[in-house]
Amino acid sequence: MFTKRLTSFLKLASKPQFSSSAKKADEEQSKYFGRKAVSFILITVTGGVALSALNDLAIYQGCSRKAMEKVINNQAIRDAIGEPIVKGSWYNASLAVAHKRHSVSCSFPVSGPLGSGVLQLKAVRTGDDSWSSYLLPRDWEILIMDALLHVPDNDEPNRTLRINVADCSPCTAGTECVPCPSENLGANKLSPNQQ
């Protein structure tokens, strides 16, 4: 009788241990899959953010390259800040994209031996919307571009010029030059409406 009770007790005692070990295995397996799912989601989100950042950098490089071509060919800007005109670093630039990355608003610093300034532009993308457009360089058409230039001078310590670059055409042999409209903002600081 004692042995029957002992064996039944051991059987009962072993059943909860078996079910608790099975529960532990199920919990560990569900934690494993939960960790895998969280890891997958984090990697996917991080990869998406990285691709978006690279795409924005490619947009900035394309727009700023096109803008620098216009600036280097602009006589008014060359006279104001001198040559060579150098584009500032990308982390001092600002970029805003809209309309499924078809339009962009960008500003970035430029400098020359006589002064420095900021180029502000608005551009639209020409071309198709295929997946290859993410991999290939895009062609941008600059609609509006202004150069806000600070030129230190002995007569006026804070001489600031605004030159509308998009309205200018480069002077080449056989073509007529369109003069660039420039506005001398003088020694006064710009109001928020002019910026």
Side-chain angles (χ1 to χ4, degrees):
M1 179 154 300
F2 179 73
T3 55
K4 285 183 182 180
R5 283 191 178 184
L6 184 60
T7 52
S8 67
F9 177 75
L10 291 175
K11 285 181 184 178
L12 290 175
S14 66
K15 284 184 182 176
Q17 288 177 355
F18 178 72
S19 64
S20 66
S21 65
K23 285 182 185 178
K24 286 181 184 178
D26 287 342
E27 287 176 8
E28 287 178 13
Q29 190 173 11
S30 65
K31 285 181 183 179
Y32 174 76
F33 287 125
R35 288 181 185 150
K36 285 286 192 180
V38 169
S39 298
F40 177 74
I41 290 170
L42 287 176
I43 289 171
T44 304
V45 169
T46 304
V49 169
L51 286 175
S52 176
L54 286 174
N55 194 14
D56 287 349
L57 185 61
I59 290 171
Y60 166 72
Q61 292 294 337
C63 286
S64 63
R65 185 178 328 110
K66 189 91 164 191
M68 286 302 292
E69 289 173 6
K70 285 190 169 205
V71 166
I72 289 171
N73 292 327
N74 188 296
Q75 187 63 41
I77 294 177
R78 287 189 307 214
D79 292 342
I81 63 173
E83 288 185 86
I85 299 172
V86 180
K87 178 173 67 168
S89 56
W90 63 269
Y91 50 82
N92 287 331
S94 68
L95 180 75
V97 292
H99 304 290
K100 295 183 181 178
R101 300 188 183 277
H102 279 279
S103 65
V104 66
S105 177
C106 180
S107 65
F108 59 92
V110 292
S111 63
L114 302 176
S116 62
V118 175
L119 289 181
Q120 300 170 336
L121 64 97
K122 294 190 186 300
V124 292
R125 182 177 72 180
T126 56
D128 61 346
D129 276 340
S130 66
W131 280 100
S132 64
S133 69
Y134 282 97
L135 304 173
L136 300 173
R138 297 169 181 92
D139 188 28
W140 293 92
E141 180 185 348
I142 296 177
L143 302 175
I144 301 169
M145 185 164 73
D146 288 332
L148 187 60
L149 306 174
H150 173 72
V151 183
D153 195 5
N154 291 337
D155 299 335
E156 299 176 31
N158 292 322
R159 189 171 141 217
T160 305
L161 298 171
R162 180 185 300 267
I163 299 173
N164 188 340
V165 182
D167 291 342
C168 305
S169 66
C171 298
T172 58
T175 61
E176 187 176 326
C177 289
V178 175
C180 298
S182 66
E183 180 181 347
N184 187 351
L185 302 174
N188 298 332
K189 291 185 178 179
L190 291 176
S191 68
N193 294 341
Q194 292 175 324
Q195 292 183 355

